[in-house]
Amino acid sequence: MELRLLGTGDAFGSGGRLQTCFHLSGGGGDILLDCGASALIALKRAGLDPNDIGWVLLTHLHGDHFGGLPFFILDAQFNHRSQPLVVAGPPGVAARLEAAMEALYPGSARKPRAFEIIFQEILPEVPVEVGPARVTPFPVAHPSGAPAYALRVEYGGKVIAYSGDTEWTEALVEAAHGADLFLCECCFWEPKARYHLDYQTLREKRPLLDCRRLLLTHLGKEMHQHLKEIEFEVAQEGERISF
Ligand SMILES: [Zn+2]
Ligand SMILES: [Zn+2]
């Protein structure tokens, strides 16, 4: 199975990086893990056909994590998608996506289309099958108008954990426990604002994270200014990781 890190930036293009978008393949069907506003650009740069993606799995409902869906759906419509698209995310995901579509392209949400969109609400600490993956959502601290999750994704015989956006919470210890790879957001260099992680806190908490490999993602401006000092592995945009 393969994980492609298509978008590893924050919401604001820091370091010229794209917004969050990870692609899982080779485990029985292609899954997109978060779909930031730039996701379609990321997919097309990587030479991936969005119509091959069967499931979009969302950590939380912020624009840099789900704002790519209106474009994804319109593109699918124009490119004759026929297979259903499953959108799995926190409670309220259908209404939030409809509102986003109507704000950006009025009339687009209710327009008849040749493929079905199936919404799957995922609930805190309830493991659930999302297509070929088994997903466990852990509630984290990141207000976004709906519950925000760290996700533990069992896929292709491996465990990928992803923090989503959050300040430090013990939920990350649980989500990352025994994971083959833990993608962890690291927005700031030092504690700066609530609801996001910073490098100093992560360094302090690192011994608690029982994962085989840790990769920092969602790097903000200050993180880019300190790149040479970072002692952890940093996600590289476009990186392909095979398991
Ligand atoms: Zn967020
Ligand atoms: Zn974010």
Side-chain angles (χ1 to χ4, degrees):
M1 81 102 156
E2 188 183 70
L3 168 69
R4 291 177 80 155
L5 309 177
L6 299 179
T8 59
D10 64 358
F12 312 113
S14 297
R17 291 177 183 236
L18 298 176
Q19 295 178 1
T20 301
C21 182
F22 306 129
H23 181 265
L24 287 161
S25 62
D30 293 7
I31 300 178
L32 211 57
L33 180 48
D34 274 354
C35 185
S38 51
L40 208 50
I41 302 160
L43 283 164
K44 294 191 179 181
R45 273 188 194 170
L48 293 165
D49 182 352
N51 281 353
D52 290 339
I53 294 163
W55 299 266
V56 177
L57 177 57
L58 303 170
T59 57
H60 68 292
L61 302 180
H62 270 160
D64 59 315
H65 295 260
F66 93 112
L69 270 172
F71 305 102
F72 186 107
I73 289 164
L74 290 179
D75 179 72
Q77 212 162 316
F78 296 139
N79 286 300
H80 314 293
R81 183 181 181 113
S82 54
Q83 75 277 30
L85 175 70
V86 175
V87 176
V93 58
R96 287 282 292 278
L97 178 58
E98 184 179 326
M101 291 191 73
E102 284 304 302
L104 295 173
Y105 297 99
S108 66
R110 294 181 197 101
K111 208 170 174 186
R113 53 180 86 89
F115 66 97
E116 193 186 355
I117 300 175
I118 300 162
F119 291 98
Q120 186 179 357
E121 290 192 347
I122 56 175
L123 302 172
E125 290 174 31
V126 179
V128 66
E129 313 292 331
V130 176
R134 185 167 177 81
V135 177
T136 310
F138 295 88
V140 294
H142 191 72
S144 47
Y149 298 134
L151 296 177
R152 183 182 174 86
V153 182
E154 296 164 52
Y155 177 85
K158 298 289 171 184
V159 177
I160 310 293
Y162 169 37
S163 64
D165 286 355
T166 182
E167 62 188 45
W168 175 259
T169 155
E170 295 296 316
L172 297 178
V173 176
E174 227 179 317
H177 182 73
D180 293 284
L181 176 68
F182 178 40
L183 290 154
C184 191
E185 79 118 304
C186 191
C187 220
F188 303 124
W189 175 247
E190 289 171 318
K192 187 177 167 185
R194 286 204 67 188
Y195 309 128
H196 277 290
L197 273 163
D198 65 89
Y199 180 67
Q200 310 305 335
T201 301
L202 259 183
R203 262 176 51 133
E204 183 194 317
K205 303 291 187 184
R206 177 65 183 92
L208 300 174
L209 297 169
D210 168 36
C211 50
R212 283 192 190 83
R213 186 176 175 192
L214 169 72
L215 270 181
L216 304 188
T217 186
H218 206 286
L219 308 187
K221 188 175 66 176
E222 293 88 358
M223 284 297 285
H224 285 280
Q225 289 160 355
H226 290 277
L227 272 185
K228 290 201 174 83
E229 299 155 68
I230 298 172
E231 288 167 11
F232 297 148
E233 217 183 330
V234 170
Q236 300 303 315
E237 196 127 305
E239 190 175 350
R240 300 171 75 152
I241 302 170
S242 297
F243 292 87

